[in-house]
Amino acid sequence: MKDILEKLDGRRAAAKLGGGDKRGATQHERGKLTARERIELLLDKGSFEEFDMFVEHRSTEFGMEKTKVPGDGVVTGWGTVNGRKVFVFAKDFTVFGGSLSETHAQKIVKIQDMALKARAPIIGLYDAGGARIQEGVAALAGYSYVFRRNVQASGVIPQISVIMGPCAGGDVYSPAMTDFIFMVRETSYMFVTGPDVVRTVTKSSIADGAYDNDVEALLQMRRLIDFLPSNNADGVPQWPSFDDIERVDLSLDTLIPDNPNKPYDIKELILKVVDEGDFFEVAEAFAKNIVTGFGRIAGRTVGFVANQPMVLAGVLDSDASRKAARFVRFCDAFNIPIVTFVDVPGFLPGTAQEYGGLIKHGAKLLFAYSQCTVPLVTVITRKAYGGAFDVMASKEIGADMNYAWPTAQIAVMGAKGAVEIIFRQDMSDPDKIAARTREYEDRFLSPFIAAERGYVDDVIMPHSTRKRIARALAMLRDKKVETPAKKHDNLPL
Ligand code: HXC
């Protein structure tokens, strides 16, 4: 019996070696951790249970039968993050460059199926060279099985990809279909074909964030998991919060500058509203004119979408619309309420945007908000001009509670543009134009016309924003909306 137990120990030890000490050392020299070290950091201590550590490839091409490594280049299993169940697979670059073989794909597929069955998030850690070149079509088909499961799980369980080394060929498309992609600066890069490596994909919208090293990336993934629901039925996690929901913040009363064209940082408002100032920003480096991310109110996750006046005056352009639309759809799929802060001078004008598909991209955000069934709370802090007023979670497209600060300006456009159009005949008379501008500002650039007609539910004191949002979200906790039966919608892609 002792022999048998020792044999098991021996086989486990061999499997844990992966591609061997030398290749493991090379990982470290390159500033990367090994697959198992990464899993250790990602999961709660001692919680990892590994699947299929003895699986070997079955290829006999090019002398492959002589080079079998137990585990076949991917470490798979499940464990917990702060006590909550997650599934994980980590590509082992020390074994055939983490490349995907038939059996390697089967291991990933097993974990994907298990995660879906158990309704828990799945996290993929990538450090890999794509399809195992020696296996040909068996590897290509392996990817297809993985891709199909990504799509089946989409909107049911959160799927997260972390790129921690090369990510080549077929390995890029599975992450591309997951909910979030994060990268490690300097060591990670993605490419579909050829040598053109994309290292700074955070700017290209492919990645949702980048971190300085493996340790930071993995610790941030633990933080993200704490914000996310386990699946589309459980609702958001509830964590203890020591931040009073009645807390007022008087500094918000002076956040908006006197000059309406002067910027201010909308992140200050988000940080002052969320519990303990804890905000996980998503896609921070892309389309900075809109801010998206997760915070908590009363210990429960909330998705925040906010125009950022510091960048392009917070205008909506194609990239900002796409970025926010994807975030809104994620929140809606997983029952995360959305709070929208509006300070938007409109859509970005110009032929570059028009030819670049602004109509289609802007429609994505309009569509995403309009189809939401989660609680939607909107606060207009300053400008809500033109079509952007409608798009940014207006009451008429389905938001539940719409508030305006006294500094809000809700109008078809700013005073200057409006006067130049409707009083064109007076353009040669500066006094008349100045008088007309003042008249327009007094009449339209305030929240009260909208409030008088019920387009906003209340004009609120900026200092009470957290309290009002918390009350609205508590009131909307059990929101139910019936939608007509359909196979699926036809989002303007
Ligand atoms: C088999 C591979 C491999 C692969 C790397 N290796 N990629 N083995 N299949 N796809 C092996 C190498 O032979 C080497 O083995 C070890 O992994 C480390 O690789 P290096 O090249 O030494 O490492 P590095 O210099 O860091 O370069 C990493 C790399 C490079 C950039 C990923 O290996 C590379 O370009 N690989 C090929 C990428 C690629 O074109 N893949 C196929 C894509 S087609 P030894 O024994 O020497 O340590 C594809 C189709 C699917 O994926 C499409 C579905 C939509």
Side-chain angles (χ1 to χ4, degrees):
M1 184 64 184
K2 194 162 168 270
D3 288 358
I4 298 173
L5 298 183
E6 275 170 6
K7 194 173 167 201
L8 172 60
D9 265 347
R11 286 196 65 162
R12 279 190 173 158
K16 284 183 178 165
L17 271 180
D21 287 338
K22 195 162 163 269
R23 286 194 176 89
T26 308
Q27 282 285 102
H28 292 160
E29 280 159 25
R30 290 179 167 185
K32 301 193 290 182
L33 297 175
T34 64
R36 282 197 168 73
E37 288 166 342
R38 286 169 174 159
I39 290 176
E40 283 294 308
L41 271 171
L42 176 68
L43 301 179
D44 295 340
K45 208 170 166 31
S47 72
F48 181 53
E49 187 170 325
E50 188 169 343
F51 286 23
D52 293 337
M53 75 176 345
F54 306 118
V55 164
E56 294 174 345
H57 71 72
R58 291 191 279 264
S59 171
T60 52
E61 306 285 350
F62 305 105
M64 285 294 279
E65 68 281 2
K66 293 187 220 99
T67 54
K68 295 199 179 215
V69 181
D72 203 28
V74 62
V75 183
T76 61
W78 75 278
T80 56
V81 171
N82 286 321
R84 296 170 69 228
K85 181 177 53 188
V86 297
F87 288 78
V88 60
F89 63 91
K91 302 271 188 165
D92 184 349
F93 190 74
T94 68
V95 179
F96 308 115
S99 58
L100 182 134
S101 67
E102 181 188 19
T103 45
H104 176 125
Q106 284 166 355
K107 284 184 67 173
I108 296 176
V109 161
K110 191 192 266 190
I111 281 295
Q112 289 180 298
D113 287 344
M114 199 64 86
L116 187 57
K117 225 189 294 183
R119 293 292 194 266
I122 182 165
I123 305 164
L125 309 180
Y126 286 83
D127 189 354
R132 183 138 340 139
I133 294 163
Q134 297 88 333
E135 291 219 2
V137 66
L140 299 182
Y143 274 120
S144 296
Y145 290 125
V146 173
F147 298 155
R148 187 162 165 78
R149 278 160 180 81
N150 283 131
V151 176
Q152 283 168 341
S154 182
V156 185
I157 52 172
Q159 303 180 80
I160 300 169
S161 307
V162 193
I163 316 299
M164 312 186 85
C167 184
D171 278 316
V172 301
Y173 276 113
S174 176
M177 291 194 290
T178 61
D179 298 302
F180 302 105
I181 300 181
F182 295 94
M183 298 186 74
V184 179
R185 290 192 187 95
E186 308 300 333
T187 50
S188 74
Y189 49 97
M190 300 176 83
F191 62 95
V192 181
T193 58
D196 291 330
V197 163
V198 186
R199 283 179 196 272
T200 51
V201 291
T202 45
K203 292 200 183 95
S204 68
S205 88
I206 297 165
D208 295 291
Y211 303 105
D212 283 342
N213 52 55
D214 283 16
V215 177
E216 198 202 335
L218 295 164
L219 295 181
Q220 288 297 331
M221 290 308 101
R222 287 178 61 85
R223 205 177 140 229
L224 173 61
I225 286 287
D226 283 351
F227 280 103
L228 301 184
S230 292
N231 55 58
N232 64 341
D234 275 7
V236 298
Q238 168 94 51
W239 295 100
S241 167
F242 305 100
D243 199 348
D244 188 359
I245 53 163
E246 298 281 320
R247 172 171 60 78
V248 295
D249 194 321
L250 294 174
S251 69
L252 290 178
D253 290 344
T254 51
L255 180 67
I256 304 292
D258 290 337
N259 177 347
N261 296 321
K262 216 172 146 201
Y264 63 94
D265 189 355
I266 200 71
K267 287 189 202 173
E268 192 180 328
L269 171 58
I270 298 174
L271 292 175
K272 285 178 173 168
V273 159
V274 295
D275 289 354
E276 284 103 20
D278 189 12
F279 180 58
F280 187 99
E281 192 166 348
V282 173
E284 184 179 358
F286 175 68
K288 293 180 175 185
N289 40 330
I290 203 152
V291 178
T292 53
F294 301 108
R296 289 186 196 88
I297 289 187
R300 299 171 64 79
T301 308
V302 175
F304 284 86
V305 178
N307 308 114
Q308 173 56 288
M310 299 281 280
V311 180
L312 296 172
V315 76
L316 273 182
D317 58 4
S318 296
D319 287 349
S321 304
R322 242 171 3 102
K323 167 176 159 178
R326 185 155 169 78
F327 183 77
V328 165
R329 277 169 69 83
F330 176 84
C331 291
D332 191 49
F334 288 98
N335 296 312
I336 301 172
I338 301 168
V339 169
T340 305
F341 291 139
V342 184
D343 186 350
V344 62
F347 279 99
L348 185 61
T351 47
Q353 282 290 314
E354 298 289 354
Y355 290 142
L358 179 63
I359 296 172
K360 199 117 218 186
H361 295 306
K364 290 183 174 121
L365 183 55
L366 180 55
F367 200 105
Y369 268 125
S370 299
Q371 90 182 148
C372 277
T373 57
V374 289
L376 295 178
V377 178
T378 304
V379 181
I380 302 171
T381 58
R382 190 168 59 176
K383 296 169 191 170
Y385 290 171
F389 159 83
D390 297 282
V391 171
M392 291 299 295
S394 62
K395 201 160 190 68
E396 297 64 44
I397 64 166
D400 301 292
M401 292 306 297
N402 292 64
Y403 298 119
W405 282 7
T407 44
Q409 308 173 355
I410 304 167
V412 173
M413 60 180 73
K416 186 171 175 291
V419 168
E420 281 172 7
I421 294 171
I422 54 181
F423 300 111
R424 190 172 291 156
Q425 71 280 7
D426 298 331
M427 284 307 283
S428 54
D429 185 340
D431 291 341
K432 257 193 185 165
I433 286 294
R436 294 294 198 191
T437 304
R438 269 196 306 281
E439 188 186 339
Y440 184 90
E441 283 170 353
D442 292 345
R443 182 83 190 106
F444 289 111
L445 297 189
S446 95
F448 291 104
I449 291 185
E452 282 158 18
R453 296 178 184 198
Y455 295 121
V456 294
D457 299 295
D458 199 2
V459 182
I460 64 170
M461 289 292 186
H463 64 248
S464 66
T465 304
R466 170 178 161 87
K467 189 170 121 184
R468 300 300 295 265
I469 292 173
R471 280 181 62 82
L473 291 175
M475 179 269 283
L476 292 163
R477 175 85 72 89
D478 300 317
K479 177 181 172 184
K480 276 258 170 312
V481 177
E482 301 294 332
T483 48
K486 59 174 104 169
K487 187 171 176 202
H488 59 70
D489 56 54
N490 191 10
L491 175 80
L493 293 171

